[in-house]
Amino acid sequence: MNLLENPILRIKEFISVGGPVVALLLCVSVIALAVILFKAWQFSVLRVGKGQRTLAVLNSKSEIALGHSLQQLNSMSGYSAQIASYAIGLKQAEASQSYQRRNTEEALALAAAIQIKSLQSGFRALDSIAQIAPLIGLFGTVLGMITAFQALQQSGNSVDPSILAGGIWVALLTTAVGLAVAMPTSIALTYFESRVEDHRLALEQIIAAVLSPVSDGSKRTPNAIQMAQHQAAVHAH
């Protein structure tokens, strides 16, 4: 059976053979596809998980020149640039003593949490579809086997293998459709979750770059591990 040849007719044949279970799975697959396409569009527009350009702008400017960074960030699109611009505004308010450092960190943490929450919208629907679709297929399998054995019982001594094969065909079809809906949905959900995790890490780096900026002309401050190693070497000597 070639699905690419007159797909509408093939879908009608699937529904006529598989019954309401296959029809339900096809409706679920349409919902999953709509959510996946929307999330793909959203992630592309908001440049989720791609904060390298924003970090490059922040790391190339000193604290005094953060105003120039703000101009560049305002011309950029995406969630990373938005959170960086917001962080710089809070940092400038903190420098003018109109805002406390603790309030700055809390406001940035809240803004980052709101971004992550908006990106995760629709994930629960995809997760539910990935879990429910195989169960719906299994339910169709059970119904198909019940139909097959009922027909077998009614046939009495004259057993017709085609009667049993028809029920088994329906059972296998519903199982296959359920798995065909669940597997791509699960893969798409895993991909989106990894992109959100990358974006979360980028936000942490952006916030750290704004709150603790590094000037271009100076050397970068060693991290905590390097400082600990240096102190250990000094004590050893």
Side-chain angles (χ1 to χ4, degrees):
M1 182 180 293
N2 190 0
L3 296 178
L4 299 178
E5 183 179 330
N6 200 346
I8 297 178
L9 179 60
R10 299 306 181 190
I11 291 174
K12 290 181 179 180
E13 291 178 357
F14 271 176
I15 295 176
S16 63
V17 173
V21 174
V22 171
L24 178 60
L25 286 172
L26 291 177
C27 293
V28 170
S29 67
V30 171
I31 297 174
L33 180 61
V35 175
I36 290 172
L37 292 178
F38 171 75
K39 298 306 293 185
W41 171 82
Q42 180 188 32
F43 279 37
S44 177
V45 171
L46 298 177
R47 302 181 62 83
V48 176
K50 298 181 180 180
Q52 293 82 3
R53 185 181 175 190
T54 302
L55 285 171
V57 173
L58 295 175
N59 290 333
S60 64
K61 303 295 180 181
S62 63
E63 185 176 4
I64 300 175
L66 281 179
H68 300 291
S69 297
L70 187 58
Q71 294 177 0
Q72 295 185 29
L73 291 171
N74 289 334
S75 64
M76 297 167 55
S77 61
Y79 262 11
S80 299
Q82 290 179 12
I83 199 72
S85 300
Y86 182 58
I88 289 176
L90 294 180
K91 183 67 175 180
Q92 291 175 344
E94 179 186 322
S96 62
Q97 298 181 352
S98 62
Y99 216 72
Q100 297 181 359
R101 176 61 177 264
R102 179 179 178 181
N103 294 334
T104 300
E105 295 175 350
E106 291 178 353
L108 290 176
L110 178 59
I114 292 174
Q115 282 194 1
I116 296 298
K117 184 67 175 179
S118 66
L119 293 175
Q120 290 177 336
S121 62
F123 282 10
R124 182 168 296 181
L126 293 178
D127 183 58
S128 299
I129 291 174
Q131 295 185 28
I132 292 176
L135 297 179
I136 297 176
L138 181 60
F139 177 68
T141 300
V142 174
L143 292 180
M145 296 303 295
I146 291 175
T147 302
F149 283 108
Q150 281 181 342
L152 186 63
Q153 182 183 15
Q154 294 173 358
S155 62
N157 295 328
S158 57
V159 178
D160 186 1
S162 63
I163 298 177
L164 184 61
I168 296 176
W169 158 242
V170 174
L172 294 178
L173 178 62
T174 55
T175 302
V177 174
L179 293 176
V181 173
M183 289 187 293
T185 303
S186 179
I187 293 173
L189 177 60
T190 302
Y191 170 74
F192 290 141
E193 287 177 341
S194 65
R195 289 286 299 275
V196 170
E197 189 61 30
D198 292 341
H199 182 68
R200 189 196 307 273
L201 178 59
L203 291 184
E204 294 177 356
Q205 294 174 334
I206 289 169
I207 293 174
V210 174
L211 296 182
S212 302
V214 179
S215 61
D216 292 339
S218 61
K219 296 183 179 179
R220 294 183 178 270
T221 305
N223 57 30
I225 297 177
Q226 293 173 332
M227 293 179 65
Q229 292 176 346
H230 177 71
Q231 292 177 356
V234 171
H235 288 301
H237 289 293

